[in-house]
Amino acid sequence: MSDDVKKAIFPAAGLGTRFLPATKASPKEMLPIVDKPMIQYGIEEAIACDISEFIIITGKHKRNIEDHFDYAFELEDKLKKSGKEKLLEEINRLSEINIAYIRQGYALGLGHAILCAKPFVKDEPFAVILSDDIIPSKETLLLDMIKLYRKLKSPILALERVPTHEVNRYGIISGVKERDNVFRINSLVEKPDPENAPSNMAIIGRYILTPDIFDILAKAKPGKGGEIQLTDAINQLLQKRPIYGYLFEGQRYDAGDKLGYLKATVDFALKNKELAKDFGKYLLEVARKLKH
Ligand code: UTP
């Protein structure tokens, strides 16, 4: 088994019901934050961690994602002729990324989506990136997790402390702190009621997993919401080997949720050189009107 994390899975076959009707014919992961679809932020994050093999799990909206990362000859020709070199470079860069696509016939849950990647992952550790959790490029979460994996050789889950009233939206862990930001996990519960939650440490959309999860997923029965839950499979894996959580204290946007999506859009627009000044002015005007 390779010791390093070189492969990443991007599950993008969910139904995205919180964003309907926008997600009726297009995956949530293709919704743009300013000028890039969410999944592109995730792919760029993985590239920055030296990950070299990308596996996107698609659902019925497969073409949309494939086209985004494919050559677009007519567009490239037009950009070339109109001298838009920078845009052309950006567009070309996208089509050079080597991505494999696997279709998840039915949206049977995140656990099932990951199981679909088994033939590509084989016997190596791998990252899972849920690209609707947007993490700005200045953060080093995934890289820190990969470094931790190299030391511990155990699965690593990204954790974030969430307000108590939000625990029912996440998988929540109970665990023991081993050292700064590193917790040894005792158990996990999927979307607990706030009264029964073992902590306020939520699993967010970055994982480093080992291939022994596949056998468990292959035998898994539907859990909460009738879906094959990754959390349930990780709970079973816990009976066999240590699993760690890495507590992230940086910035993350839950862009799979409308409010989180809007916050990400505003913050990314304010960091965009072309937009920042005018958009900032506009926001101040809006804020002034809201006060009255
Ligand atoms: P979510 O829990 O966000 O579900 O999935 P969803 O269907 O995308 O969105 P809502 O809750 O209905 O609005 C977490 C991640 O797992 C993927 C999703 O695409 C998302 O990246 N997923 C989920 C799959 O790939 N397949 C599934 O069967 C379920």
Side-chain angles (χ1 to χ4, degrees):
M1 183 161 98
S2 157
D3 268 356
D4 213 356
V5 182
K6 290 286 167 198
K7 294 181 176 173
I9 304 178
F10 297 80
L15 298 178
T17 54
R18 283 169 292 168
F19 264 100
L20 282 169
T23 45
K24 185 177 171 218
S26 179
K28 169 175 70 177
E29 287 75 10
M30 283 301 289
L31 291 175
I33 306 287
V34 184
D35 54 6
K36 273 188 221 173
M38 295 193 211
I39 194 157
Q40 191 179 332
Y41 289 98
I43 296 265
E44 288 174 355
E45 183 182 330
I47 291 174
C49 296
D50 246 357
I51 284 175
S52 50
E53 289 182 60
F54 307 87
I55 301 141
I56 302 183
I57 311 298
T58 58
K60 60 180 159 46
H61 322 301
K62 184 180 161 85
R63 276 219 17 224
N64 244 340
I65 301 184
E66 281 195 8
D67 285 350
H68 181 70
F69 292 105
D70 200 354
Y71 292 98
F73 299 109
E74 200 186 341
L75 176 66
E76 286 163 28
D77 193 46
K78 178 139 196 201
L79 292 176
K80 208 180 283 173
K81 282 185 181 143
S82 51
K84 297 191 169 153
E85 293 299 328
K86 221 175 142 232
L87 260 182
L88 181 64
E89 211 175 284
E90 169 118 29
I91 296 290
N92 278 338
R93 200 168 45 85
L94 285 181
S95 30
E96 279 154 16
I97 307 167
N98 201 356
I99 301 175
Y101 297 90
I102 299 180
R103 183 117 170 183
Q104 184 189 20
Y106 290 93
L108 298 179
L110 175 59
H112 181 259
I114 288 168
L115 178 62
C116 293
K118 182 179 173 186
F120 277 77
V121 170
K122 299 197 179 101
D123 61 349
E124 289 178 37
F126 58 97
V128 174
I129 297 182
L130 304 188
S131 30
D132 57 346
D133 261 346
I134 303 263
I135 298 190
S137 57
K138 68 173 171 38
E139 306 287 358
T140 55
L141 170 63
L142 190 60
L143 197 58
D144 295 340
M145 292 171 73
I146 293 174
K147 285 182 186 160
L148 192 61
Y149 174 81
R150 284 183 197 136
K151 278 192 207 144
L152 300 174
K153 299 280 184 294
S154 295
I156 317 279
L157 317 182
L159 306 175
E160 189 182 86
R161 288 196 192 276
V162 297
T164 312
H165 67 272
E166 284 184 14
V167 292
N168 57 1
R169 290 171 36 192
Y170 294 91
I172 301 291
I173 68 128
S174 79
V176 180
K177 187 171 176 170
E178 290 236 323
R179 59 189 146 101
D180 281 353
N181 297 65
V182 180
F183 290 76
R184 183 159 171 168
I185 295 177
N186 290 328
S187 69
L188 315 141
V189 205
E190 184 63 25
K191 302 187 172 76
D193 296 328
E195 315 74 76
N196 301 325
S199 77
N200 68 345
M201 278 190 288
I203 304 167
I204 57 169
R206 301 292 180 275
Y207 308 72
I208 307 293
L209 296 176
T210 44
D212 43 2
I213 195 79
F214 290 126
D215 285 343
I216 298 175
L217 284 170
K219 291 181 199 137
K221 299 252 159 17
K224 221 165 205 171
E227 296 192 336
I228 308 276
Q229 296 285 354
L230 179 61
T231 319
D232 294 343
I234 296 176
N235 237 335
Q236 278 190 47
L237 190 59
L238 256 179
Q239 315 306 315
K240 296 188 182 159
R241 65 184 302 164
I243 298 180
Y244 294 87
Y246 180 78
L247 184 64
F248 177 55
E249 292 174 314
Q251 180 78 54
R252 172 189 69 103
Y253 299 91
D254 177 7
D257 166 80
K258 280 179 211 158
L259 184 59
Y261 178 82
L262 291 171
K263 286 181 186 172
T265 302
V266 168
D267 285 0
F268 276 66
L270 287 173
K271 281 187 203 117
N272 180 299
K273 275 192 214 131
E274 282 168 29
L275 293 171
K277 200 163 154 241
D278 290 343
F279 187 56
K281 249 195 236 165
Y282 174 70
L283 283 185
L284 286 172
E285 268 170 41
V286 173
R288 223 172 285 131
K289 278 186 204 148
L290 279 178
K291 270 192 199 162
H292 293 132

